[in-house]
Amino acid sequence: MRRFVLKTLAAGLAASLLGLPALAQKSPVEVEFYYPVAVGGPITKIVDDMVADFQKENPGIRIKPIYAGSYQDSIAKALTALKGGTPPQLAVLLSTDMFTLIDEDAIVPIDTLAKSDADKQWLGGFYDAFMQNSRSGGHVWGVPFQRSTIVMYYNKALFKEAGLDPERAPATWAELVDSAKKLTKKDASGNVTQWGLEIPSGGAFAYWLFQALTTPNDAILMNEAGNQVYLDKPAVIEAAEFWHDLSAKHGVMPKGTIDWGTTPKDFLEKKAAIIWTTTGNLTNIRKNADFPFGVAMMPKQKRGGSPTGGGNFYVFKSGTPEQQQAALKFAQWATSPERAADWSIATGYVAVTPAAWQTDKMKKYAQEVPAAAVARDQLEVSVAEFSTHENQRVTKVLNDALQSALTGAKPPKQALTDAQREAERILRAYK
């Protein structure tokens, strides 16, 4: 009898132990992920699909994307949530937001999470031009995800019509002016019906397009520590005068400011023969252009080059160690060669590692769409995007100065001298 009771108890205990894993099953680590949706195209679906694929492979992690609006909206929402005690654990924000996030004590250096040999190899695998906006004070604070450079799109059919070689884009500032003059058309009343060139200057990104003029003129706008700017240097003023003269003197570009969002639209509607915009617009233009177009690097003055641009992954300090590791794992997964290739093909952004360009799918894509490789090749001469402490304030000072110069409210030299003085006042506390 005693043996029977013991046997029954043992069986019951075994049964209850078998049930324990189901009861004590660990709930997945949840990671809130802020993502800026205002980057063009059906991007939310691409991100949702990416998250679903990651979760299939990593059932112990649940990524919750929160679509936060433009980059400017996203950083504002992330910092508001931080102050309210409910920040995300992961976000894609501008690479130029790095100093702001450091100053707010919002993020953890990624190199303090990525400690294994494999992690270190991953961190060392990105293009250096993209990492220039990811490093400060001996740490890596963000990793490149949707990154870009500025490229020149031109309508080959309109080039041919104007007697220009459709297979050769303007390679210097002088050639740019000459080609744009031939491509500018007027009606019988003297009204322009087709502009030779459009460089966006309105809104938040004027400073970035300006770097596509200062870089070829061999001018750098800020130091690596983000506490000093060089806005009143002769080469910088020269670049602003050239930009102003494209409309005021050469008549090849609309006067005043040109909206960032309408520039690709004007190109697709054949209202502009040449435009400068992000390589992130490549997929949009490929899908919607009903004419052959070319993509080229920035025209040279003293050298070639463009600023890099776009967003980095940042891991927030407020996450638990488990959430931080889960966020890191997602960032590593999303930037792995195959995934970086998928993302580049789907969006037009530059695949952020040389390894991604070695995948079969990326080799095939680069062969089919040679334009995609232009931004990658330009990385060799690209520079860090303008970024400082108090970044939004300092960038606004520069944007306002450029708009003053382009609208004729102030001569370029005065606008940039005033901007330098104001930027120095803002940055004094960081020296």
Side-chain angles (χ1 to χ4, degrees), residues 49-96:
D49 289 349
M50 192 169 75
V51 165
D53 288 346
F54 172 78
Q55 287 177 170
K56 268 182 218 158
E57 291 176 34
N58 298 273
I61 300 171
R62 187 168 297 149
I63 305 288
K64 186 184 171 193
I66 293 168
Y67 298 112
S70 68
Y71 277 122
Q72 286 74 23
D73 294 337
S74 298
I75 180 81
K77 285 176 185 173
L79 294 178
T80 302
L82 179 75
K83 289 180 173 80
T86 57
Q89 288 77 51
L90 180 68
V92 168
L93 299 167
L94 284 173
S95 62
T96 54

mmCIF file of all heavy atoms in Angstrom, residues 49-96:
data_model
loop_
_atom_site.group_PDB
_atom_site.id
_atom_site.type_symbol
_atom_site.label_atom_id
_atom_site.label_comp_id
_atom_site.label_asym_id
_atom_site.label_seq_id
_atom_site.Cartn_x
_atom_site.Cartn_y
_atom_site.Cartn_z
ATOM 1 N N ASP A 49 7.181 44.377 -41.954
ATOM 2 C CA ASP A 49 7.605 43.066 -42.466
ATOM 3 C C ASP A 49 8.954 42.659 -41.869
ATOM 4 O O ASP A 49 9.167 41.488 -41.525
ATOM 5 C CB ASP A 49 7.718 43.090 -44.003
ATOM 6 C CG ASP A 49 6.343 43.167 -44.677
ATOM 7 O OD1 ASP A 49 5.328 42.982 -43.974
ATOM 8 O OD2 ASP A 49 6.293 43.439 -45.901
ATOM 9 N N MET A 50 9.836 43.646 -41.744
ATOM 10 C CA MET A 50 11.156 43.382 -41.181
ATOM 11 C C MET A 50 11.040 42.918 -39.719
ATOM 12 O O MET A 50 11.668 41.939 -39.317
ATOM 13 C CB MET A 50 11.979 44.675 -41.258
ATOM 14 C CG MET A 50 13.439 44.514 -40.977
ATOM 15 S SD MET A 50 14.346 46.021 -41.424
ATOM 16 C CE MET A 50 13.896 47.090 -40.082
ATOM 17 N N VAL A 51 10.204 43.614 -38.959
ATOM 18 C CA VAL A 51 9.983 43.260 -37.546
ATOM 19 C C VAL A 51 9.389 41.853 -37.436
ATOM 20 O O VAL A 51 9.822 41.047 -36.603
ATOM 21 C CB VAL A 51 9.079 44.317 -36.855
ATOM 22 C CG1 VAL A 51 8.535 43.817 -35.524
ATOM 23 C CG2 VAL A 51 9.850 45.617 -36.649
ATOM 24 N N ALA A 52 8.412 41.543 -38.298
ATOM 25 C CA ALA A 52 7.774 40.215 -38.283
ATOM 26 C C ALA A 52 8.803 39.118 -38.571
ATOM 27 O O ALA A 52 8.821 38.072 -37.907
ATOM 28 C CB ALA A 52 6.639 40.170 -39.304
ATOM 29 N N ASP A 53 9.687 39.359 -39.545
ATOM 30 C CA ASP A 53 10.731 38.376 -39.873
ATOM 31 C C ASP A 53 11.693 38.176 -38.699
ATOM 32 O O ASP A 53 12.086 37.049 -38.390
ATOM 33 C CB ASP A 53 11.527 38.829 -41.113
ATOM 34 C CG ASP A 53 10.717 38.710 -42.396
ATOM 35 O OD1 ASP A 53 9.662 38.037 -42.366
ATOM 36 O OD2 ASP A 53 11.122 39.297 -43.420
ATOM 37 N N PHE A 54 12.063 39.272 -38.052
ATOM 38 C CA PHE A 54 12.975 39.183 -36.906
ATOM 39 C C PHE A 54 12.341 38.377 -35.774
ATOM 40 O O PHE A 54 12.997 37.529 -35.162
ATOM 41 C CB PHE A 54 13.341 40.592 -36.414
ATOM 42 C CG PHE A 54 14.120 40.601 -35.126
ATOM 43 C CD1 PHE A 54 15.479 40.315 -35.116
ATOM 44 C CD2 PHE A 54 13.510 40.873 -33.909
ATOM 45 C CE1 PHE A 54 16.213 40.314 -33.933
ATOM 46 C CE2 PHE A 54 14.225 40.870 -32.714
ATOM 47 C CZ PHE A 54 15.583 40.589 -32.731
ATOM 48 N N GLN A 55 11.062 38.634 -35.518
ATOM 49 C CA GLN A 55 10.386 37.960 -34.402
ATOM 50 C C GLN A 55 10.200 36.474 -34.653
ATOM 51 O O GLN A 55 10.226 35.680 -33.726
ATOM 52 C CB GLN A 55 9.061 38.657 -34.089
ATOM 53 C CG GLN A 55 9.295 39.998 -33.415
ATOM 54 C CD GLN A 55 8.053 40.806 -33.121
ATOM 55 O OE1 GLN A 55 8.119 41.798 -32.429
ATOM 56 N NE2 GLN A 55 6.900 40.397 -33.652
ATOM 57 N N LYS A 56 10.061 36.089 -35.920
ATOM 58 C CA LYS A 56 9.992 34.657 -36.255
ATOM 59 C C LYS A 56 11.295 33.970 -35.859
ATOM 60 O O LYS A 56 11.295 32.849 -35.355
ATOM 61 C CB LYS A 56 9.762 34.488 -37.772
ATOM 62 C CG LYS A 56 8.298 34.380 -38.167
ATOM 63 C CD LYS A 56 8.177 34.173 -39.666
ATOM 64 C CE LYS A 56 6.969 34.945 -40.203
ATOM 65 N NZ LYS A 56 7.081 35.213 -41.643
ATOM 66 N N GLU A 57 12.400 34.653 -36.105
ATOM 67 C CA GLU A 57 13.715 34.093 -35.786
ATOM 68 C C GLU A 57 14.063 34.250 -34.301
ATOM 69 O O GLU A 57 14.908 33.540 -33.789
ATOM 70 C CB GLU A 57 14.794 34.779 -36.630
ATOM 71 C CG GLU A 57 14.721 34.438 -38.108
ATOM 72 C CD GLU A 57 15.745 35.207 -38.924
ATOM 73 O OE1 GLU A 57 16.858 35.464 -38.413
ATOM 74 O OE2 GLU A 57 15.431 35.575 -40.079
ATOM 75 N N ASN A 58 13.433 35.222 -33.643
ATOM 76 C CA ASN A 58 13.749 35.528 -32.237
ATOM 77 C C ASN A 58 12.464 35.628 -31.413
ATOM 78 O O ASN A 58 12.048 36.723 -31.020
ATOM 79 C CB ASN A 58 14.525 36.848 -32.139
ATOM 80 C CG ASN A 58 15.850 36.786 -32.872
ATOM 81 O OD1 ASN A 58 16.850 36.365 -32.320
ATOM 82 N ND2 ASN A 58 15.837 37.190 -34.141
ATOM 83 N N PRO A 59 11.794 34.488 -31.166
ATOM 84 C CA PRO A 59 10.499 34.531 -30.479
ATOM 85 C C PRO A 59 10.567 35.084 -29.052
ATOM 86 O O PRO A 59 9.553 35.472 -28.489
ATOM 87 C CB PRO A 59 10.037 33.064 -30.475
ATOM 88 C CG PRO A 59 11.265 32.256 -30.752
ATOM 89 C CD PRO A 59 12.185 33.120 -31.528
ATOM 90 N N GLY A 60 11.776 35.158 -28.482
ATOM 91 C CA GLY A 60 11.917 35.690 -27.123
ATOM 92 C C GLY A 60 11.955 37.209 -27.069
ATOM 93 O O GLY A 60 12.081 37.804 -25.993
ATOM 94 N N ILE A 61 11.851 37.863 -28.245
ATOM 95 C CA ILE A 61 11.893 39.343 -28.294
ATOM 96 C C ILE A 61 10.676 39.848 -29.066
ATOM 97 O O ILE A 61 10.345 39.324 -30.128
ATOM 98 C CB ILE A 61 13.190 39.830 -28.983
ATOM 99 C CG1 ILE A 61 14.428 39.349 -28.213
ATOM 100 C CG2 ILE A 61 13.204 41.359 -29.100
ATOM 101 C CD1 ILE A 61 15.752 39.598 -28.928
ATOM 102 N N ARG A 62 10.020 40.852 -28.518
ATOM 103 C CA ARG A 62 8.887 41.473 -29.211
ATOM 104 C C ARG A 62 9.222 42.940 -29.485
ATOM 105 O O ARG A 62 9.370 43.731 -28.565
ATOM 106 C CB ARG A 62 7.615 41.359 -28.375
ATOM 107 C CG ARG A 62 6.375 41.851 -29.126
ATOM 108 C CD ARG A 62 5.105 41.474 -28.407
ATOM 109 N NE ARG A 62 4.920 40.030 -28.321
ATOM 110 C CZ ARG A 62 4.288 39.418 -27.317
ATOM 111 N NH1 ARG A 62 3.806 40.123 -26.316
ATOM 112 N NH2 ARG A 62 4.149 38.100 -27.320
ATOM 113 N N ILE A 63 9.365 43.276 -30.768
ATOM 114 C CA ILE A 63 9.662 44.658 -31.167
ATOM 115 C C ILE A 63 8.341 45.361 -31.480
ATOM 116 O O ILE A 63 7.544 44.861 -32.262
ATOM 117 C CB ILE A 63 10.580 44.698 -32.422
ATOM 118 C CG1 ILE A 63 11.864 43.896 -32.199
ATOM 119 C CG2 ILE A 63 10.879 46.137 -32.830
ATOM 120 C CD1 ILE A 63 12.880 44.491 -31.273
ATOM 121 N N LYS A 64 8.149 46.525 -30.873
ATOM 122 C CA LYS A 64 6.898 47.268 -31.092
ATOM 123 C C LYS A 64 7.231 48.589 -31.787
ATOM 124 O O LYS A 64 7.647 49.555 -31.147
ATOM 125 C CB LYS A 64 6.233 47.523 -29.736
ATOM 126 C CG LYS A 64 4.856 48.147 -29.842
ATOM 127 C CD LYS A 64 4.290 48.462 -28.466
ATOM 128 C CE LYS A 64 3.001 49.278 -28.587
ATOM 129 N NZ LYS A 64 2.584 49.852 -27.299
ATOM 130 N N PRO A 65 7.067 48.649 -33.128
ATOM 131 C CA PRO A 65 7.387 49.901 -33.827
ATOM 132 C C PRO A 65 6.358 50.987 -33.492
ATOM 133 O O PRO A 65 5.152 50.723 -33.452
ATOM 134 C CB PRO A 65 7.310 49.544 -35.309
ATOM 135 C CG PRO A 65 7.163 48.065 -35.377
ATOM 136 C CD PRO A 65 6.601 47.621 -34.067
ATOM 137 N N ILE A 66 6.863 52.188 -33.242
ATOM 138 C CA ILE A 66 5.988 53.355 -33.032
ATOM 139 C C ILE A 66 6.401 54.372 -34.086
ATOM 140 O O ILE A 66 7.542 54.845 -34.089
ATOM 141 C CB ILE A 66 6.148 53.915 -31.599
ATOM 142 C CG1 ILE A 66 5.615 52.891 -30.590
ATOM 143 C CG2 ILE A 66 5.411 55.243 -31.446
ATOM 144 C CD1 ILE A 66 5.960 53.181 -29.157
ATOM 145 N N TYR A 67 5.486 54.662 -35.010
ATOM 146 C CA TYR A 67 5.815 55.566 -36.117
ATOM 147 C C TYR A 67 5.610 57.003 -35.653
ATOM 148 O O TYR A 67 4.505 57.433 -35.391
ATOM 149 C CB TYR A 67 4.990 55.199 -37.350
ATOM 150 C CG TYR A 67 5.323 53.799 -37.805
ATOM 151 C CD1 TYR A 67 4.398 52.745 -37.707
ATOM 152 C CD2 TYR A 67 6.584 53.506 -38.271
ATOM 153 C CE1 TYR A 67 4.741 51.457 -38.087
ATOM 154 C CE2 TYR A 67 6.944 52.217 -38.657
ATOM 155 C CZ TYR A 67 6.014 51.205 -38.565
ATOM 156 O OH TYR A 67 6.362 49.922 -38.941
ATOM 157 N N ALA A 68 6.741 57.712 -35.556
ATOM 158 C CA ALA A 68 6.741 58.960 -34.792
ATOM 159 C C ALA A 68 6.730 60.223 -35.653
ATOM 160 O O ALA A 68 6.916 61.312 -35.142
ATOM 161 C CB ALA A 68 7.959 58.964 -33.871
ATOM 162 N N GLY A 69 6.521 60.097 -36.965
ATOM 163 C CA GLY A 69 6.490 61.297 -37.811
ATOM 164 C C GLY A 69 7.859 61.562 -38.415
ATOM 165 O O GLY A 69 8.646 60.645 -38.613
ATOM 166 N N SER A 70 8.153 62.824 -38.712
ATOM 167 C CA SER A 70 9.435 63.188 -39.316
ATOM 168 C C SER A 70 10.575 62.947 -38.334
ATOM 169 O O SER A 70 10.351 62.675 -37.155
ATOM 170 C CB SER A 70 9.420 64.675 -39.703
ATOM 171 O OG SER A 70 9.396 65.453 -38.507
ATOM 172 N N TYR A 71 11.791 63.087 -38.816
ATOM 173 C CA TYR A 71 12.951 62.972 -37.920
ATOM 174 C C TYR A 71 12.843 63.989 -36.778
ATOM 175 O O TYR A 71 13.140 63.686 -35.631
ATOM 176 C CB TYR A 71 14.250 63.238 -38.691
ATOM 177 C CG TYR A 71 14.794 62.048 -39.452
ATOM 178 C CD1 TYR A 71 15.004 62.116 -40.831
ATOM 179 C CD2 TYR A 71 15.157 60.868 -38.799
ATOM 180 C CE1 TYR A 71 15.550 61.048 -41.533
ATOM 181 C CE2 TYR A 71 15.698 59.795 -39.488
ATOM 182 C CZ TYR A 71 15.892 59.885 -40.851
ATOM 183 O OH TYR A 71 16.437 58.835 -41.537
ATOM 184 N N GLN A 72 12.428 65.216 -37.139
ATOM 185 C CA GLN A 72 12.311 66.262 -36.109
ATOM 186 C C GLN A 72 11.239 65.895 -35.080
ATOM 187 O O GLN A 72 11.443 66.056 -33.879
ATOM 188 C CB GLN A 72 11.978 67.616 -36.771
ATOM 189 C CG GLN A 72 13.145 68.260 -37.501
ATOM 190 C CD GLN A 72 13.490 67.582 -38.823
ATOM 191 O OE1 GLN A 72 12.657 66.898 -39.441
ATOM 192 N NE2 GLN A 72 14.714 67.749 -39.277
ATOM 193 N N ASP A 73 10.105 65.364 -35.565
ATOM 194 C CA ASP A 73 9.046 64.901 -34.644
ATOM 195 C C ASP A 73 9.568 63.775 -33.757
ATOM 196 O O ASP A 73 9.274 63.727 -32.564
ATOM 197 C CB ASP A 73 7.835 64.342 -35.435
ATOM 198 C CG ASP A 73 7.113 65.401 -36.234
ATOM 199 O OD1 ASP A 73 7.232 66.584 -35.888
ATOM 200 O OD2 ASP A 73 6.432 65.036 -37.220
ATOM 201 N N SER A 74 10.329 62.866 -34.352
ATOM 202 C CA SER A 74 10.786 61.671 -33.636
ATOM 203 C C SER A 74 11.722 62.013 -32.481
ATOM 204 O O SER A 74 11.584 61.475 -31.388
ATOM 205 C CB SER A 74 11.476 60.696 -34.597
ATOM 206 O OG SER A 74 10.559 60.260 -35.574
ATOM 207 N N ILE A 75 12.680 62.924 -32.725
ATOM 208 C CA ILE A 75 13.603 63.290 -31.641
ATOM 209 C C ILE A 75 12.838 64.046 -30.548
ATOM 210 O O ILE A 75 13.040 63.810 -29.360
ATOM 211 C CB ILE A 75 14.831 64.103 -32.159
ATOM 212 C CG1 ILE A 75 15.789 64.473 -31.019
ATOM 213 C CG2 ILE A 75 14.456 65.344 -32.915
ATOM 214 C CD1 ILE A 75 16.746 63.419 -30.574
ATOM 215 N N ALA A 76 11.889 64.922 -30.975
ATOM 216 C CA ALA A 76 11.102 65.672 -29.982
ATOM 217 C C ALA A 76 10.272 64.713 -29.131
ATOM 218 O O ALA A 76 10.231 64.833 -27.896
ATOM 219 C CB ALA A 76 10.194 66.674 -30.694
ATOM 220 N N LYS A 77 9.643 63.725 -29.768
ATOM 221 C CA LYS A 77 8.812 62.752 -29.030
ATOM 222 C C LYS A 77 9.664 61.871 -28.121
ATOM 223 O O LYS A 77 9.269 61.556 -27.003
ATOM 224 C CB LYS A 77 8.000 61.890 -30.009
ATOM 225 C CG LYS A 77 6.813 62.647 -30.607
ATOM 226 C CD LYS A 77 6.068 61.832 -31.642
ATOM 227 C CE LYS A 77 4.975 62.665 -32.298
ATOM 228 N NZ LYS A 77 4.337 61.984 -33.414
ATOM 229 N N ALA A 78 10.834 61.474 -28.617
ATOM 230 C CA ALA A 78 11.718 60.618 -27.813
ATOM 231 C C ALA A 78 12.180 61.355 -26.561
ATOM 232 O O ALA A 78 12.193 60.790 -25.461
ATOM 233 C CB ALA A 78 12.917 60.176 -28.650
ATOM 234 N N LEU A 79 12.534 62.643 -26.710
ATOM 235 C CA LEU A 79 13.025 63.409 -25.553
ATOM 236 C C LEU A 79 11.883 63.752 -24.595
ATOM 237 O O LEU A 79 12.077 63.771 -23.377
ATOM 238 C CB LEU A 79 13.756 64.670 -26.020
ATOM 239 C CG LEU A 79 15.064 64.405 -26.781
ATOM 240 C CD1 LEU A 79 15.697 65.704 -27.250
ATOM 241 C CD2 LEU A 79 16.060 63.605 -25.944
ATOM 242 N N THR A 80 10.675 63.999 -25.138
ATOM 243 C CA THR A 80 9.499 64.237 -24.279
ATOM 244 C C THR A 80 9.196 62.981 -23.471
ATOM 245 O O THR A 80 8.946 63.045 -22.264
ATOM 246 C CB THR A 80 8.272 64.638 -25.141
ATOM 247 O OG1 THR A 80 8.619 65.799 -25.889
ATOM 248 C CG2 THR A 80 7.058 64.930 -24.285
ATOM 249 N N ALA A 81 9.233 61.823 -24.148
ATOM 250 C CA ALA A 81 8.980 60.543 -23.466
ATOM 251 C C ALA A 81 10.058 60.271 -22.410
ATOM 252 O O ALA A 81 9.768 59.760 -21.326
ATOM 253 C CB ALA A 81 8.944 59.406 -24.484
ATOM 254 N N LEU A 82 11.303 60.667 -22.720
ATOM 255 C CA LEU A 82 12.404 60.487 -21.763
ATOM 256 C C LEU A 82 12.136 61.286 -20.487
ATOM 257 O O LEU A 82 12.257 60.770 -19.378
ATOM 258 C CB LEU A 82 13.723 60.951 -22.406
ATOM 259 C CG LEU A 82 14.973 60.863 -21.541
ATOM 260 C CD1 LEU A 82 15.442 59.418 -21.411
ATOM 261 C CD2 LEU A 82 16.101 61.714 -22.126
ATOM 262 N N LYS A 83 11.727 62.546 -20.668
ATOM 263 C CA LYS A 83 11.451 63.412 -19.507
ATOM 264 C C LYS A 83 10.226 62.918 -18.732
ATOM 265 O O LYS A 83 10.119 63.093 -17.525
ATOM 266 C CB LYS A 83 11.266 64.859 -19.959
ATOM 267 C CG LYS A 83 12.573 65.493 -20.418
ATOM 268 C CD LYS A 83 12.397 66.935 -20.868
ATOM 269 C CE LYS A 83 13.723 67.601 -21.164
ATOM 270 N NZ LYS A 83 14.281 67.274 -22.467
ATOM 271 N N GLY A 84 9.297 62.277 -19.453
ATOM 272 C CA GLY A 84 8.091 61.742 -18.807
ATOM 273 C C GLY A 84 8.296 60.370 -18.195
ATOM 274 O O GLY A 84 7.383 59.785 -17.629
ATOM 275 N N GLY A 85 9.492 59.820 -18.376
ATOM 276 C CA GLY A 85 9.815 58.522 -17.769
ATOM 277 C C GLY A 85 9.397 57.318 -18.589
ATOM 278 O O GLY A 85 9.441 56.189 -18.107
ATOM 279 N N THR A 86 8.971 57.531 -19.853
ATOM 280 C CA THR A 86 8.548 56.390 -20.692
ATOM 281 C C THR A 86 9.234 56.417 -22.064
ATOM 282 O O THR A 86 8.564 56.373 -23.093
ATOM 283 C CB THR A 86 7.015 56.397 -20.901
ATOM 284 O OG1 THR A 86 6.658 57.682 -21.486
ATOM 285 C CG2 THR A 86 6.273 56.177 -19.611
ATOM 286 N N PRO A 87 10.575 56.505 -22.094
ATOM 287 C CA PRO A 87 11.237 56.572 -23.398
ATOM 288 C C PRO A 87 11.215 55.229 -24.111
ATOM 289 O O PRO A 87 10.985 54.194 -23.478
ATOM 290 C CB PRO A 87 12.671 56.959 -23.037
ATOM 291 C CG PRO A 87 12.861 56.400 -21.672
ATOM 292 C CD PRO A 87 11.522 56.490 -20.985
ATOM 293 N N PRO A 88 11.471 55.241 -25.442
ATOM 294 C CA PRO A 88 11.611 53.960 -26.140
ATOM 295 C C PRO A 88 12.911 53.293 -25.701
ATOM 296 O O PRO A 88 13.739 53.920 -25.036
ATOM 297 C CB PRO A 88 11.699 54.385 -27.614
ATOM 298 C CG PRO A 88 12.301 55.760 -27.569
ATOM 299 C CD PRO A 88 11.765 56.390 -26.315
ATOM 300 N N GLN A 89 13.078 52.029 -26.066
ATOM 301 C CA GLN A 89 14.353 51.358 -25.775
ATOM 302 C C GLN A 89 15.290 51.416 -26.988
ATOM 303 O O GLN A 89 16.488 51.228 -26.864
ATOM 304 C CB GLN A 89 14.114 49.887 -25.380
ATOM 305 C CG GLN A 89 13.496 49.713 -24.007
ATOM 306 C CD GLN A 89 12.000 50.010 -24.018
ATOM 307 O OE1 GLN A 89 11.260 49.476 -24.852
ATOM 308 N NE2 GLN A 89 11.548 50.859 -23.117
ATOM 309 N N LEU A 90 14.687 51.691 -28.154
ATOM 310 C CA LEU A 90 15.445 51.739 -29.406
ATOM 311 C C LEU A 90 14.803 52.776 -30.314
ATOM 312 O O LEU A 90 13.581 52.936 -30.301
ATOM 313 C CB LEU A 90 15.404 50.351 -30.071
ATOM 314 C CG LEU A 90 16.128 50.164 -31.403
ATOM 315 C CD1 LEU A 90 17.639 50.254 -31.226
ATOM 316 C CD2 LEU A 90 15.771 48.807 -32.035
ATOM 317 N N ALA A 91 15.615 53.489 -31.076
ATOM 318 C CA ALA A 91 15.047 54.463 -32.023
ATOM 319 C C ALA A 91 15.974 54.619 -33.213
ATOM 320 O O ALA A 91 17.194 54.466 -33.095
ATOM 321 C CB ALA A 91 14.850 55.817 -31.342
ATOM 322 N N VAL A 92 15.371 54.919 -34.368
ATOM 323 C CA VAL A 92 16.142 55.405 -35.511
ATOM 324 C C VAL A 92 15.943 56.912 -35.530
ATOM 325 O O VAL A 92 14.822 57.401 -35.701
ATOM 326 C CB VAL A 92 15.667 54.772 -36.840
ATOM 327 C CG1 VAL A 92 16.282 55.502 -38.030
ATOM 328 C CG2 VAL A 92 16.064 53.307 -36.903
ATOM 329 N N LEU A 93 17.017 57.629 -35.291
ATOM 330 C CA LEU A 93 16.995 59.089 -35.301
ATOM 331 C C LEU A 93 18.165 59.556 -36.164
ATOM 332 O O LEU A 93 19.050 58.766 -36.495
ATOM 333 C CB LEU A 93 17.129 59.635 -33.875
ATOM 334 C CG LEU A 93 16.014 59.212 -32.902
ATOM 335 C CD1 LEU A 93 16.392 59.527 -31.465
ATOM 336 C CD2 LEU A 93 14.697 59.888 -33.261
ATOM 337 N N LEU A 94 18.176 60.826 -36.519
ATOM 338 C CA LEU A 94 19.253 61.331 -37.371
ATOM 339 C C LEU A 94 20.619 61.059 -36.752
ATOM 340 O O LEU A 94 20.783 61.165 -35.530
ATOM 341 C CB LEU A 94 19.090 62.838 -37.593
ATOM 342 C CG LEU A 94 18.006 63.268 -38.585
ATOM 343 C CD1 LEU A 94 17.849 64.773 -38.560
ATOM 344 C CD2 LEU A 94 18.292 62.785 -40.003
ATOM 345 N N SER A 95 21.583 60.754 -37.592
ATOM 346 C CA SER A 95 22.948 60.577 -37.088
ATOM 347 C C SER A 95 23.419 61.860 -36.404
ATOM 348 O O SER A 95 24.197 61.822 -35.461
ATOM 349 C CB SER A 95 23.886 60.199 -38.241
ATOM 350 O OG SER A 95 23.934 61.245 -39.196
ATOM 351 N N THR A 96 22.883 62.998 -36.864
ATOM 352 C CA THR A 96 23.269 64.299 -36.303
ATOM 353 C C THR A 96 22.639 64.575 -34.938
ATOM 354 O O THR A 96 22.980 65.554 -34.291
ATOM 355 C CB THR A 96 22.867 65.426 -37.267
ATOM 356 O OG1 THR A 96 21.474 65.294 -37.555
ATOM 357 C CG2 THR A 96 23.653 65.362 -38.549
#
